[in-house]
Amino acid sequence: CKSRRTHPEESRIEVCSLSHSRTMNHSPQKRPYVSNSKPPGGGGGIEVSADDDNVDRSDLKRRCIDYHTPSVLDITSRLYRKGNRRLHAVAGGSGQAGYGYIQCHSNYLRHMGMPCGHIGDVIPSLAYLTYCAHVTRAKNSSPVMCLSWTPGGRRLLTGNQEGEFTLWDGVNFSFELIMSAHDSSFRTMAWSNNQNYLLTSDAGGNIKYWSPSIAPVQSIDSHDGNPVHALSFSPNDAKFVSCGDDATVRIWDWAGHREERTLEGHGWDVKTVQWHPRSSVICSGSKDNLVKLWDPRTGSCLSTLYGHKNTVTKVAWNDNGNWLLTASRDQLVKLYDIRAMRELCSFRGHHKEVTSLAWHPIYETVFASGGMDGTLIYWNVGPKGSEEPAAKIPFAHDMAIWDMKWHPAGHLLATGSNDRQTKFWARNRPGSKQGLDFDGPGSGADGKDAEVTHAEMELGNHVGIVIGRRGATIIAMQRQTKTKMHVDQMRRVLQIEGTARQIETVKKRVGALLERVSSDGDGRQQGGGFGGW
């Protein structure tokens, strides 16, 4: 961007293109010792080891995901590849495609390119980002309501419930900036297609324009003070559309800062809206369970989709312009073909309402979805549609995932949650299957993980806490962990049936729940008991 402001931290950053790592305040006399023998580092980063006594701890830096070296690898090899670029499937690809085969060993980490260098068939190791590279949480943090990558993907911008911007580095994930932006909670943010301006909205109906340097430009009060849940630009950036809890969809003139047309037809709050990537079509989803397609030139409703049975939370157009993705509180994600105006398939994998969606920027058939229970799922549509998840992370967050965005290069996924954390998800290192073997049985190399065993866990006086109201807690935990659980109230024990890995997961979850309940009880007693009794 022409008006982009250089952050002072950038002048202190030094990129090492050979080791895939980035260091800050690097001293030429003392070089940190780096090693590939650590646990998975997420598709491109090399960890710094603290085992060497000669290394100054001030020079030891955090793990990073540096995409510069894989990008150089793609640029230098793209002239020698085959047209289909199926490097992992073509026999003899070692010499013909420009790359060697990616073997299941950390030594082949340096051969990993970027997803944009493999635009043929979907490669699971590149498309499904199941490794948690970093977890960020700002001081005095609050729930993260929305997020977006800055133009070029150098930084991640998040908006929280207090109306504050938080800026994170997109390579080493360090904190850079926090500033007040809105008087009430953030709801959404959207960059223009030419990436020259940013739009944000809040729970008070205020819409603001921002420059790429995060400087305020203009402020508009809209939707009669109701929360504005979604914003989207037209293909030429001359207009943008908004939706809110006043059951309307409104079209605005970008340069004139004025409302041009109000689209009325929904019977309840409009939760999501998105402009078609190339045509004059607007899609909106509402609390009345309907998905509507609008003509912004006339303001008329073109069609209505009746596929969902609960609130429509998200809609997302594919870059091909033909596929429309919708998510709802009925725990379903549906894919529609707008050319035939019919449903292609329904994706079933969430056990709670679906709260976020994002198409992959490189692979046309891949998208990610987040749920109210913190589950993150990757899907691959395929030629005829696929109803089974391609990869699943059951406990990606502790609470609802409100928003997610892919890095423009496709090698990182950022998620913001109600648990006040922002997480960066990256590719696994060669040989690691973290998140790809979520089904449990059959995932072990020696078959031990597939053996179903029985275990018990003492609950003490917290039997009712584990069961939950009408069994809701234990039922949800069985769905998430795919185990069979039963509470013996006479013996006060939890009986678990599943694989060793599943049983370990259940014990960790139940142990954390009991510990939290015990700590809350101790706090009440120190504070005077329950209401002073």
Side-chain angles (χ1 to χ4, degrees):
C1 299
K2 297 181 180 179
S3 60
R4 185 177 178 275
R5 182 181 301 171
T6 303
H7 195 274
E9 200 72 35
E10 294 180 3
S11 61
R12 299 161 54 197
I13 293 179
E14 192 180 280
V15 176
C16 178
S17 61
L18 295 179
S19 64
H20 287 217
S21 62
R22 167 169 294 198
T23 59
M24 299 171 60
N25 297 334
H26 184 67
S27 173
Q29 288 80 13
K30 295 182 180 180
R31 294 194 60 185
Y33 172 73
V34 295
S35 173
N36 278 343
S37 61
K38 296 293 180 181
I46 289 185
E47 300 183 48
V48 181
S49 174
D51 296 336
D52 193 348
D53 295 334
N54 297 327
V55 177
D56 187 2
R57 289 189 177 273
S58 62
D59 289 336
L60 298 179
K61 306 306 171 187
R62 69 176 69 200
R63 178 183 301 151
C64 66
I65 305 297
D66 192 355
Y67 58 90
H68 296 88
T69 301
S71 300
V72 172
L73 182 64
D74 286 330
I75 293 174
T76 56
S77 304
R78 61 184 177 183
L79 298 178
Y80 305 100
R81 299 184 200 153
K82 284 192 171 183
N84 57 13
R85 302 186 180 181
R86 295 171 59 186
L87 306 183
H88 293 245
V90 177
S94 176
Q96 300 174 9
Y99 283 140
Y101 280 120
I102 304 297
Q103 303 292 339
C104 297
H105 195 275
S106 59
N107 287 343
Y108 287 82
L109 176 65
R110 63 183 183 275
H111 295 300
M112 291 184 65
M114 296 295 288
C116 58
H118 309 271
I119 59 176
D121 294 342
V122 175
I123 301 175
S125 61
L126 298 180
Y128 312 135
L129 312 182
T130 57
Y131 174 74
C132 184
H134 192 73
V135 180
T136 62
R137 185 169 180 173
K139 186 178 180 180
N140 300 326
S141 61
S142 60
V144 180
M145 307 303 297
C146 58
L147 50 82
S148 179
W149 292 94
T150 59
R154 288 289 301 275
R155 295 176 177 84
L156 181 73
L157 193 63
T158 65
N160 61 23
Q161 202 173 48
E162 301 296 329
E164 296 174 335
F165 272 132
T166 308
L167 201 62
W168 305 92
D169 190 280
V171 175
N172 56 27
F173 315 122
S174 60
F175 169 81
E176 290 197 355
L177 175 69
I178 186 169
M179 60 174 288
S180 179
H182 285 273
D183 295 332
S184 57
S185 173
F186 263 97
R187 279 296 180 264
T188 186
M189 59 177 67
W191 286 94
S192 59
N193 295 314
N194 58 16
Q195 299 183 342
N196 287 337
Y197 287 96
L198 173 70
L199 277 179
T200 62
S201 66
D202 62 15
N206 183 251
I207 301 175
K208 286 190 177 182
Y209 295 24
W210 303 83
S211 68
S213 59
I214 318 299
V217 177
Q218 183 70 26
S219 179
I220 302 173
D221 292 326
S222 63
H223 291 271
D224 301 327
N226 291 287
V228 179
H229 293 290
L231 298 167
S232 182
F233 277 91
S234 64
N236 60 1
D237 291 332
K239 318 288 182 184
F240 70 91
V241 62
S242 65
C243 68
D245 281 352
D246 58 349
T248 63
V249 177
R250 307 194 181 198
I251 301 174
W252 304 80
D253 179 70
W254 165 258
H257 312 141
R258 65 180 184 276
E259 180 183 338
E260 287 193 345
R261 184 171 282 107
T262 300
L263 309 180
E264 297 180 346
H266 282 291
W268 214 340
D269 304 345
V270 184
K271 297 298 184 181
T272 178
V273 69
Q274 191 172 23
W275 207 302
H276 192 279
R278 287 181 294 276
S279 303
S280 295
V281 179
I282 294 175
C283 178
S284 63
S286 172
K287 200 173 179 179
D288 59 6
N289 311 343
L290 302 180
V291 177
K292 288 183 176 289
L293 301 178
W294 307 86
D295 184 353
R297 296 166 296 187
T298 62
S300 60
C301 179
L302 300 176
S303 180
T304 302
L305 305 176
Y306 298 89
H308 290 287
K309 298 180 180 179
N310 210 324
T311 302
V312 180
T313 55
K314 292 290 180 181
V315 297
W317 291 100
N318 192 288
D319 286 338
N320 60 23
N322 301 324
W323 291 351
L324 175 65
L325 208 59
T326 64
S328 172
R329 294 188 65 181
D330 60 6
Q331 306 172 11
L332 295 179
V333 179
K334 291 182 178 289
L335 179 65
Y336 293 92
D337 189 343
I338 301 303
R339 295 169 295 183
M341 204 60 67
R342 67 183 182 90
E343 179 184 332
L344 289 181
C345 59
S346 295
F347 301 93
R348 306 173 186 272
H350 288 279
H351 300 299
K352 293 289 184 179
E353 48 262 47
V354 186
T355 55
S356 55
L357 286 175
W359 284 101
H360 196 283
I362 306 299
Y363 296 119
E364 184 182 67
T365 61
V366 175
F367 69 93
S369 63
M372 181 66 74
D373 57 355
T375 301
L376 175 61
I377 302 181
Y378 295 92
W379 308 85
N380 185 14
V381 176
K384 296 183 180 179
S386 174
E387 297 183 357
E388 296 296 328
K392 185 175 182 179
I393 309 174
F395 311 116
H397 284 274
D398 295 334
M399 302 178 73
I401 302 177
W402 292 129
D403 199 7
M404 61 173 60
K405 289 292 189 300
W406 293 86
H407 190 279
H411 72 294
L412 279 176
L413 175 70
T415 58
S417 171
N418 198 53
D419 62 4
R420 305 183 180 187
Q421 294 179 344
T422 303
K423 293 189 177 183
F424 295 86
W425 303 91
R427 303 172 292 174
N428 284 323
R429 284 191 173 190
S432 173
K433 297 190 299 181
Q434 182 176 350
L436 299 177
D437 53 350
F438 60 91
D439 284 330
S443 61
D446 54 359
K448 292 182 179 179
D449 289 343
E451 297 179 0
V452 177
T453 59
H454 299 266
E456 292 185 352
M457 182 177 182
E458 295 184 2
L459 301 180
N461 297 326
H462 303 299
V463 173
I465 298 297
V466 176
I467 296 176
R469 185 179 182 183
R470 297 181 180 178
T473 303
I474 192 171
I475 292 174
M477 196 171 300
Q478 288 183 96
R479 289 178 177 176
Q480 294 169 355
T481 59
K482 298 185 178 180
T483 58
K484 294 182 180 180
M485 303 166 58
H486 173 71
V487 176
D488 189 338
Q489 299 189 28
M490 296 296 295
R491 298 169 52 203
R492 296 183 179 182
V493 296
L494 175 65
Q495 299 174 348
I496 312 169
E497 179 182 351
T499 64
R501 182 178 302 179
Q502 292 172 341
I503 291 175
E504 183 182 359
T505 301
V506 171
K507 288 184 176 181
K508 288 182 179 179
R509 298 276 294 183
V510 175
L513 176 62
L514 299 182
E515 183 179 356
R516 184 165 62 249
V517 172
S518 299
S519 61
D520 291 345
D522 295 340
R524 293 191 186 99
Q525 291 179 3
Q526 294 177 3
F530 296 90
W533 285 23

